[in-house]
Amino acid sequence: MKAGSRFLNAVSAIALSAGIVASGAGVLTLGSASVAEAAVIQKVDVRGASRSGADAVRDNITIKPGVTFSNSDIDDSVKQLYATGYFSDVHISVSGGTLVVSVSENQIVNAVVFNGNRKIKDDKLQGVVKTRASGPFDQNIVNDDIKTIKEAYAVIGRNEVSVTTQVVPVAQGRVNIAFVINEGDRTKIDKINFTGNQAYGDGRLASVIATKKTNFLSFLTRKDVYSADKQHADEDTLRQFYYNHGYADFRIVSSDATLDEQTNAYTMNFAVDEGPRYTYGDITVVSTVDGIKADELKGLITTTAGDVYSAKNIQKSIEAISKRVAAAGYPFARVTPRGTRNFQNHTIAVEYLVDQGERAYVERIEIRGNTRTRDYVIRREFDLNEGDAFNQEMITRAKRRLDALGYFTTVNITTAPGSAPDRVVIVVNVVDQSTGSFGVGAGYSVGNNGGLLLEASVEEKNFLGRGQYIRIAAGAGTEGSRTYNISFTEPYFLGYRLAAGFDIFKNQTSSDDYYDYSEAGFSLRVTAPITENLATTLRYNYKHLDYSGTNDWEDHLSKPYQNLVNDGPWTQSTVSQTFTYNTLDDQNLPREGIIAKLTHEFAGLGGDSNFYKISGKARLVKSLNDEADIIGSLTLGAGYVVSTKGDKLNVFDQFMLGGREIRGFENTGIGARTSNGDPLGGTTYFTASAEATMPMPGVPQDIGLRAAAFADAGSLFGNKADLFGDVLHNDSSIRASVGLGVIWASPFGVLRVDYAQPVMKESYDKVQQFRFGIANQF
């Protein structure tokens, strides 16, 4: 550059600067490099805020009269005003001692409506969109709402939904916005293909994953809705299934889904590599923690040499060892399993290494993604809090508990570094799901003969997002049967892991020809966990019983039953305690595990009953053939009751035995009877049942039909009821039956139909070969 040019430029710059200073009209704008690092204004002049008001603008800026400010304060003020959503444009400048804030206001939403939606109701859509009545109209937010609506429809299988908007201006800068929805057809799943699988057939693997092929009940279950997230979850489920059945080298080679646009149906494909099946080799424990001896921990291990390899059992062993070591005063101790494969004999030797681990504390627990479930409902499933020693096994246990709640479609727990090297942030990501349901079930009504009963119920497992359970049910059936029930449970009573609740019921039936029976009452209960698998329940029970004679009851009822009619109504007041041990892997269709219950009950706190009663039942479930999915179970039960006042019991105090325990008989078809056949029950009983189930041949497993073969046996004997001179038919002979059944895991619950043929019975027993009702697992 020439010297003359440089001189002219310098003169021009000086002259321009002098002119600005002389005029006193310096202008400051956002992003200007010439703003002083510290300035002071005397007042704030707001322009353009006709609806929101000048005071609202002043409240949302960080610059105040008489206080120094800088460029960063202007940046923050502009961002803060934009963040309110009420302004489409913001400009801040300084004129002398005045800060001038010029804004252009967004329109205000007068009303938000939805048109064309039938599958998702207005209130559900209102809950997911961010555009709100009386809020600002922002096209960016509206665009996000359109995406959110499409995602909501994708969840119910309507990926072809289209969403447009109509914006209608109304008076004074307000607009009505309508989301116009064309729901389109629901996508389906036509095929689920598996390739590379040798150990298990396609049907067995299809029963493992959550996604199902479309069938005639898919509109209720929604299990045929495709999403990439669900397919990823199915991949994880397949991995866990194989890992728990000995296939430690299992991997998914590929997984995809293709949509046929003509049929609007997906085909899902899983290519797998199973690898060999392993058993456990040598199992050892090594401890490097002073004061912790390896020999003392071996008894906690659930893995045994020679058994089929199972990742689930390794995890159980890790948790048991971690809990014992932490209780011994080593909260940071870490348990690491080390597996050594032997590829020749297909065994895996497992060494559990117990070491000190790294010292780390929980800085905080962050809950993300929950739109309905309260934070504290999630936090209380953790056995650790902020400030506690970090323990990975407790995190694993918390995830298992959260999954078991049934409140979420997915639960992911990760960790992030905290503010210091020994601080850890636990991040819990969940996705809420619907927890309310309307159900229709079937069963048998109360009373001696009972009868078919159909029941409708409304159930909510996560009431108001508080984790509370509520159920209201009403049923009606043959012979004038009626049932009404209300149940409520608070799973964390007073902040402790105590499930407290109540049940209110009223039942009635006219199943007998000569009397009507009704009962009404309530129970108060508290359940406390003892271990992960063992719990105890305390109950207070109150029942009002009424026997009303009908027709020529005085000529046809036995004397004990005439007494029930003449001296009624009756009341029963009892307290009971139940111990429950449950290791079943699935509560609806278990394949492995034990469930056992032991109850003792005392009556005599007022009322007409005075007895002590003890009863128990245990059921062992085991997979007999994994590939064919044949499941076997063995159930044993027994009970005894004794009077605590005098030598007599009421008829309704004694045990009744029948088709619920020994199929092929009526509900009270077994045991002592009067001369005309009225059941008296008994003081002692025992039962045994063996059953095997398998998928129904020729029926897709997605339908949920299984065939069953069973054999039942048992006896009910002893009598302490007053006969009033009547004749007693009673003995302790064994009753037995064999039969076949069909079990259906329907959307309304697990239903079953059984046909049983008694092979051992007495002449006065009452037979009922067909039985239909709810397939009670216990």
Side-chain angles (χ1 to χ4, degrees):
M1 182 182 289
K2 296 181 179 179
S5 298
R6 291 196 297 269
F7 176 78
L8 289 175
N9 288 339
V11 171
S12 298
I14 293 171
L16 180 59
S17 301
I20 293 175
V21 173
S23 66
V27 177
L28 180 150
T29 60
L30 181 64
S32 172
S34 62
V35 178
E37 283 302 317
V40 179
I41 50 104
Q42 301 303 316
K43 65 177 182 177
V44 178
D45 181 17
V46 179
R47 301 173 184 177
S50 58
R51 289 193 305 273
S52 53
D55 288 341
V57 173
R58 294 188 181 97
D59 290 340
N60 280 284
I61 62 175
T62 62
I63 303 170
K64 306 298 178 185
V67 180
T68 59
F69 67 95
S70 63
N71 282 343
S72 62
D73 293 306
I74 294 178
D75 290 341
D76 292 342
S77 296
V78 171
K79 292 176 182 177
Q80 194 162 311
L81 287 170
Y82 273 122
T84 65
Y86 287 97
F87 308 109
S88 59
D89 187 44
V90 177
H91 181 77
I92 297 179
S93 63
V94 174
S95 178
T98 301
L99 185 75
V100 180
V101 183
S102 300
V103 297
S104 296
E105 293 181 310
N106 276 323
Q107 294 175 304
I108 300 299
V109 176
N110 182 65
V112 179
V113 297
F114 302 92
N115 295 328
N117 56 308
R118 291 177 299 168
K119 301 301 180 182
I120 302 181
K121 301 303 182 184
D122 286 7
D123 58 337
K124 299 293 185 183
L125 294 175
Q126 288 281 7
V128 299
V129 300
K130 295 181 180 179
T131 302
R132 296 280 189 269
S134 300
F137 174 78
D138 188 322
Q139 188 60 50
N140 291 327
I141 295 178
V142 171
N143 292 339
D144 289 340
D145 288 339
I146 291 174
K147 294 179 182 178
T148 302
I149 293 173
K150 288 183 176 181
E151 290 171 357
Y153 272 93
V155 170
I156 62 171
R158 294 186 177 266
N159 294 318
E160 301 301 316
V161 64
S162 65
V163 182
T164 59
T165 57
Q166 293 177 349
V167 180
V168 180
V170 293
Q172 298 179 348
R174 304 177 76 86
V175 296
N176 291 336
I177 180 169
F179 291 93
V180 182
I181 302 169
N182 182 351
E183 295 180 323
D185 295 329
R186 194 168 76 88
T187 58
K188 303 175 182 179
I189 295 180
D190 183 46
K191 297 178 181 178
I192 301 178
N193 299 322
F194 298 91
T195 57
N197 51 310
Q198 302 295 325
Y200 299 99
D202 290 3
R204 180 70 178 97
L205 297 183
S207 70
V208 171
I209 63 176
T211 308
K212 305 297 181 184
K213 289 171 56 178
T214 301
N215 57 52
F216 67 99
L217 289 174
S218 294
F219 74 98
L220 291 174
T221 64
R222 302 291 187 187
K223 292 182 179 179
D224 66 335
V225 175
Y226 172 79
S227 74
D229 290 340
K230 285 183 65 177
Q231 186 158 4
H232 293 324
D234 287 338
E235 292 174 17
D236 289 338
T237 302
L238 285 172
R239 291 188 188 95
Q240 292 303 317
F241 172 75
Y242 273 97
Y243 293 161
N244 291 332
H245 288 80
Y247 296 89
D249 294 336
F250 172 82
R251 65 189 183 93
I252 293 177
V253 178
S254 64
S255 170
D256 61 65
T258 57
L259 176 65
D260 186 330
E261 295 184 358
Q262 292 184 345
T263 61
N264 206 29
Y266 282 95
T267 297
M268 296 178 64
N269 302 294
F270 296 92
V272 304
D273 180 6
E274 293 177 329
R277 194 182 199 195
Y278 290 90
T279 57
Y280 288 115
D282 294 334
I283 307 296
T284 57
V285 180
V286 176
S287 174
T288 63
V289 179
D290 292 337
I292 300 296
K293 297 180 180 179
D295 291 341
E296 298 175 355
L297 303 176
K298 288 183 178 179
L300 303 173
I301 296 175
T302 60
T303 53
T304 305
D307 288 350
V308 175
Y309 173 85
S310 171
K312 178 174 61 178
N313 289 337
I314 291 178
Q315 183 60 43
K316 288 182 179 179
S317 299
I318 293 172
E319 291 181 12
I321 294 173
S322 296
K323 190 173 182 179
R324 174 68 64 83
V325 173
Y330 301 91
F332 300 103
R334 176 178 56 195
V335 182
T336 305
R338 294 178 176 178
T340 303
R341 284 173 171 79
N342 186 319
F343 295 101
Q344 293 181 347
N345 60 14
H346 297 149
T347 61
I348 300 178
V350 181
E351 178 186 80
Y352 295 92
L353 174 62
V354 184
D355 59 25
Q356 288 286 0
E358 298 177 357
R359 284 185 171 269
Y361 299 88
V362 178
E363 182 170 310
R364 66 181 183 276
I365 301 175
E366 291 187 4
I367 312 296
R368 301 174 183 174
N370 52 316
T371 58
R372 182 168 181 266
T373 305
R374 312 292 178 94
D375 279 8
Y376 69 83
V377 173
I378 298 172
R379 289 179 181 275
R380 68 192 184 189
E381 299 301 330
F382 287 81
D383 290 329
L384 43 73
N385 295 302
E386 283 85 351
D388 289 348
F390 177 79
N391 187 307
Q392 182 60 48
E393 300 315 314
M394 289 187 179
I395 304 300
T396 303
R397 191 184 311 157
K399 184 183 186 306
R400 187 168 62 247
R401 288 173 178 169
L402 290 170
D403 285 330
L405 291 176
Y407 302 165
F408 315 106
T409 56
T410 58
V411 177
N412 291 310
I413 303 179
T414 58
T415 58
S419 59
D422 63 345
R423 298 291 186 269
V424 177
V425 177
I426 299 173
V427 181
V428 185
N429 278 288
V430 299
V431 177
D432 281 300
Q433 68 176 351
S434 175
T435 53
S437 63
F438 173 78
V440 178
Y444 284 85
S445 59
V446 297
N448 289 337
N449 297 323
L452 179 64
L453 181 72
L454 296 177
E455 183 183 72
S457 62
V458 177
E459 181 180 81
E460 173 56 64
K461 295 187 293 186
N462 188 12
F463 184 60
L464 299 179
R466 299 175 182 271
Q468 298 165 332
Y469 173 87
I470 187 169
R471 183 177 186 269
I472 302 174
T478 58
E479 307 295 341
S481 298
R482 299 287 187 273
T483 64
Y484 309 93
N485 296 275
I486 299 175
S487 295
F488 175 83
T489 302
E490 166 55 63
Y492 276 75
F493 185 59
L494 299 178
Y496 296 96
R497 190 163 285 164
L498 298 173
F502 63 83
D503 305 285
I504 303 173
F505 61 89
K506 181 177 182 181
N507 307 313
Q508 61 188 51
T509 183
S510 302
S511 58
D512 193 275
D513 292 335
Y514 300 106
Y515 71 89
D516 295 339
Y517 173 76
S518 67
E519 63 180 31
F522 67 90
S523 65
L524 306 175
R525 49 185 162 75
V526 177
T527 299
I530 300 174
T531 67
E532 283 291 308
N533 300 319
L534 179 63
T536 182
T537 300
L538 298 174
R539 282 188 176 89
Y540 170 75
N541 312 282
Y542 178 85
K543 186 185 293 185
H544 179 276
L545 307 93
D546 189 21
Y547 296 80
S548 302
T550 60
N551 301 322
D552 299 326
W553 64 274
E554 292 178 322
D555 297 328
H556 292 87
L557 286 181
S558 61
K559 290 183 179 180
Y561 274 77
Q562 289 183 28
N563 176 66
L564 292 177
V565 174
N566 289 325
D567 289 2
W570 305 80
T571 58
Q572 194 177 74
S573 177
T574 71
V575 290
S576 65
Q577 182 182 26
T578 299
F579 293 94
T580 302
Y581 178 76
N582 189 348
T583 63
L584 296 181
D585 57 353
D586 186 284
Q587 301 307 309
N588 291 321
L589 183 60
R591 291 180 170 86
E592 297 284 345
I594 297 173
I595 181 170
K597 289 187 178 183
L598 176 67
T599 300
H600 63 120
E601 184 176 19
F602 173 79
L605 305 176
D608 301 301
S609 296
N610 296 275
F611 62 78
Y612 175 76
K613 183 181 292 185
I614 184 168
S615 61
K617 192 174 183 180
R619 182 180 184 220
L620 169 67
V621 182
K622 188 171 182 60
S623 177
L624 302 179
N625 186 303
D626 283 338
E627 182 176 359
D629 196 19
I630 300 175
I631 305 170
S633 67
L634 178 65
T635 305
L636 301 174
Y640 178 73
V641 60
V642 61
S643 174
T644 58
K645 186 177 181 181
D647 191 42
K648 296 298 182 181
L649 291 167
N650 297 309
V651 170
F652 50 79
D653 294 336
Q654 301 197 122
F655 292 109
M656 296 288 180
L657 199 66
R660 294 185 182 92
E661 297 80 16
I662 306 176
R663 285 159 285 194
F665 296 88
E666 290 186 359
N667 284 347
T668 56
I670 296 172
R673 312 190 90 82
T674 61
S675 57
N676 67 344
D678 290 332
L680 293 173
T683 60
T684 308
Y685 79 91
F686 65 87
T687 60
S689 178
E691 181 173 277
T693 71
M694 63 179 294
M696 182 69 71
V699 178
Q701 290 195 27
D702 293 345
I703 302 297
L705 282 175
R706 297 182 66 85
F710 57 84
D712 300 335
S715 182
L716 172 68
F717 54 92
N719 176 67
K720 291 296 183 180
D722 196 333
L723 297 177
F724 298 97
D726 208 315
V727 178
L728 174 68
H729 297 288
N730 187 29
D731 63 63
S732 58
S733 61
I734 303 295
R735 278 75 159 181
S737 65
V738 294
L740 301 173
V742 176
I743 306 169
W744 180 32
S746 78
F748 316 110
V750 182
L751 308 178
R752 71 179 291 162
V753 179
D754 291 316
Y755 174 81
Q757 178 62 49
V759 294
M760 298 177 66
K761 70 182 187 67
E762 294 299 319
S763 60
Y764 51 84
D765 292 336
K766 302 296 184 180
V767 174
Q768 183 185 63
Q769 292 175 309
F770 280 100
R771 188 174 185 86
F772 170 75
I774 297 175
N776 223 334
Q777 293 298 333
F778 197 65

